[in-house]
Amino acid sequence: MTVRVRYAPSPTGLLHVGGARTALFNWAWARRHEGAFVLRIEDTDKERSTEESERSILEAMQWLGMEWDEGPGVEGPFGPYRQSERDGRHQELCARLLEEGKAYRCFCEAERLTALREEQMAKKENPRYDGRCRDLSPEEVAERTAAGEPSTVRFRVPEGETRFTDHVRGDVVFQNKEVDDWVMLRSDGSPTYNFVVVCDDADMEITHVLRGEEHLVNTPKQVLLYEALGLSAPEFGHLPLMLGSDKKKLSKRTGHTSVQVYRDLGYPRDAVVNFLCLQGWALDGETEVFSVDELIKNFEVRDVSKGGAVFDPEKFLWLAGEYLREEEPAVCAAHCAPYVIEAGLMTAEELDARNEWFVDVVRGMQERVRLYSELPEKIAFLFEGDEGIAYAQTS
Ligand code: GLU
């Protein structure tokens, strides 16, 4: 079996560090097994998806060094790779499920569903659809539809229990009665995430779905849908939540959450990759600094931890310093240059003209900075007092 994995971001913001870790683990798994790493843009939420976000996610992925084998810009045999462009296929599969009675039209209005939910919650019951439209006759459905009554399409959850194997969490069993008859298509005809993700993963022949633990609640719905479509489900691996220092889901409260911010703050790229991989995976339990090659050679989904991974900003800084120190001075100088220019210490032309001097300065400072952006402050004294003396003397 050829391994085919995907990273499927919704383009609704910058690349989140949690998303980047998911992408990295998928990418490493694909590379390890010489499989395909697919990038699929899940842009069905038209209100929140933006082209700008898509662009910035792709750019951040490239910066991290994750080339995708199939996806926007590269294309491939299973395209298109933007979910919104696959709508015809989604509608086709929905129609098939309706015809086979594995899905049904629901005419319940939002007000009724809200009241139902409130009533159930007041009784301390789990809110769920009560099945009012589950067994409407085909004639009634046809009549109401022809009369222009709006409807959603719900998945008909069968009786019984369902199992799946999760590479991180082991065997998972759930009772189907715990799964609601969930909505596949909204009344405006737009499909929901649980429906399209299965359509696309199946059509793209995805073999392993590695994604954040927040999606574990969705997996039963998705496994049941694979069964309804007569397909075998891919293998799953749910990656532990990334937690902030307050042990709650990582959020802006306890630190930056987007990859771009760390890039702009001057974290070495390989340090970012290394640090993100440490959020839930370890090379051997001891080695904290490892290369991308070592990651690819050793990455095992089975070894990913179940428990939440605490994002430790101090450790991130330490790791950044480890990488920065190892860089060739000329390379490090090139990385630091934009920050020196931005701080107004030197112009791009001056840096060009005094490159050798600047590389020497950086060589002398590498032990003392952790981020490229920390250099200007450390070398500002060279530019103080008599304008340009220290600088002129060395030339
Ligand atoms: N678009 C979903 C997300 O960004 C993908 C989830 C999945 O990998 O199934 O969370």
Side-chain angles (χ1 to χ4, degrees):
M1 173 179 74
T2 310
V3 165
R4 290 181 55 81
V5 290
R6 71 351 181 239
Y7 175 53
S10 305
T12 55
L14 296 173
L15 180 61
H16 190 277
V17 282
R21 183 202 52 182
T22 297
L24 273 167
F25 285 179
N26 276 288
W27 177 79
W29 186 249
R31 291 293 168 266
R32 170 146 194 218
H33 296 279
E34 294 176 7
F37 175 58
V38 178
L39 179 61
R40 183 175 70 232
I41 302 295
E42 301 211 323
D43 59 348
T44 45
D45 183 344
K46 292 195 186 72
E47 306 261 289
R48 296 174 60 229
S49 301
T50 66
E51 274 176 33
E52 194 195 330
S53 159
E54 178 183 321
R55 241 190 332 272
S56 71
I57 291 173
L58 302 193
E59 191 195 283
M61 301 260 306
Q62 276 159 341
W63 179 70
L64 288 171
M66 283 184 276
E67 297 298 335
W68 48 99
D69 305 303
E70 295 171 31
V74 186
E75 305 315 318
F78 298 91
Y81 293 93
R82 257 180 221 96
Q83 203 157 49
S84 59
E85 293 167 22
R86 306 177 68 85
D87 193 51
R89 176 68 175 153
H90 302 147
Q91 301 295 338
E92 183 187 317
L93 287 173
C94 180
R96 191 176 115 193
L97 290 167
L98 274 171
E99 205 175 294
E100 292 171 356
K102 292 171 177 163
Y104 62 91
R105 287 207 174 271
C106 171
F107 297 91
C108 293
E109 288 163 353
E111 295 77 44
R112 173 173 131 62
L113 296 173
T114 311
L116 178 67
R117 199 169 27 245
E118 280 166 7
E119 203 179 296
Q120 290 168 332
M121 280 164 70
K123 284 197 241 156
K124 305 254 183 301
E125 290 169 7
N126 279 342
R128 57 185 300 122
Y129 180 57
D130 62 357
R132 180 189 268 197
C133 296
R134 215 170 195 251
D135 297 307
L136 297 181
S137 68
E139 295 73 31
E140 181 174 351
V141 171
E143 235 168 72
R144 292 172 77 169
T145 309
E149 204 176 321
S151 61
T152 59
V153 175
R154 285 184 187 271
F155 181 74
R156 188 189 299 277
V157 175
E159 286 178 359
E161 62 174 30
T162 307
R163 294 166 185 272
F164 64 92
T165 304
D166 187 294
H167 282 268
V168 179
R169 318 181 73 86
D171 287 338
V172 182
V173 185
F174 59 91
Q175 301 303 316
N176 295 2
K177 63 176 186 306
E178 303 299 327
V179 186
D180 209 4
D181 277 0
W182 50 281
V183 172
M184 289 167 33
L185 226 57
R186 302 182 187 91
S187 55
D188 65 0
S190 64
T192 59
Y193 156 73
N194 278 307
F195 175 53
V196 280
V197 78
V198 169
C199 299
D200 294 350
D201 282 342
D203 282 345
M204 293 183 177
E205 297 179 11
I206 297 301
T207 58
H208 298 78
V209 169
L210 311 180
R211 62 183 170 200
E213 191 186 302
E214 65 274 20
H215 286 292
L216 193 56
V217 292
N218 293 319
T219 309
K221 295 177 183 168
Q222 296 174 15
V223 171
L224 285 167
L225 183 52
Y226 279 103
E227 282 174 9
L229 290 168
L231 300 166
S232 51
E235 293 173 33
F236 292 93
H238 289 91
L239 313 171
L241 285 183
M242 263 198 202
L243 306 176
S245 48
D246 56 0
K247 305 277 159 47
K248 294 194 182 127
K249 192 173 172 201
L250 187 67
S251 77
K252 290 190 182 126
R253 275 188 322 273
T254 49
H256 302 294
T257 54
S258 80
V259 169
Q260 280 96 332
V261 172
Y262 290 102
R263 179 196 62 193
D264 297 345
L265 285 172
Y267 282 70
R269 197 260 316 257
D270 292 350
V272 178
V273 170
N274 190 151
F275 180 72
L276 291 179
C277 291
L278 286 175
Q279 307 303 300
W281 185 75
L283 184 64
D284 53 15
E286 267 169 46
T287 318
E288 305 230 81
V289 185
F290 48 80
S291 67
V292 167
D293 283 348
E294 284 172 301
L295 165 72
I296 291 171
K297 224 179 275 156
N298 296 284
F299 181 72
E300 258 304 334
V301 189
R302 261 200 324 268
D303 296 340
V304 171
S305 66
K306 285 198 209 42
V310 180
F311 190 96
D312 178 351
E314 278 308 312
K315 188 163 175 182
F316 200 178
L317 270 174
W318 166 79
L319 203 57
E322 293 292 303
Y323 275 88
L324 188 145
R325 265 194 292 288
E326 290 301 313
E327 283 184 350
E328 282 299 320
V331 172
C332 188
H335 285 140
C336 293
Y339 299 95
V340 170
I341 296 168
E342 199 187 306
L345 297 180
M346 291 172 90
T347 63
E349 293 71 35
E350 284 167 342
L351 270 168
D352 247 5
R354 315 275 171 199
N355 188 51
E356 240 174 80
W357 172 82
F358 182 58
V359 171
D360 274 346
V361 169
V362 170
R363 182 182 287 116
M365 282 294 166
Q366 263 175 289
E367 285 294 326
R368 286 193 262 164
V369 292
R370 297 164 300 180
L371 308 178
Y372 306 130
S373 59
E374 288 177 350
L375 186 80
E377 199 196 318
K378 292 276 196 282
I379 63 169
F381 73 93
L382 293 173
F383 303 87
E384 273 164 14
D386 288 324
E387 264 296 297
I389 282 198
Y391 168 65
Q393 277 171 349
T394 58
S395 55

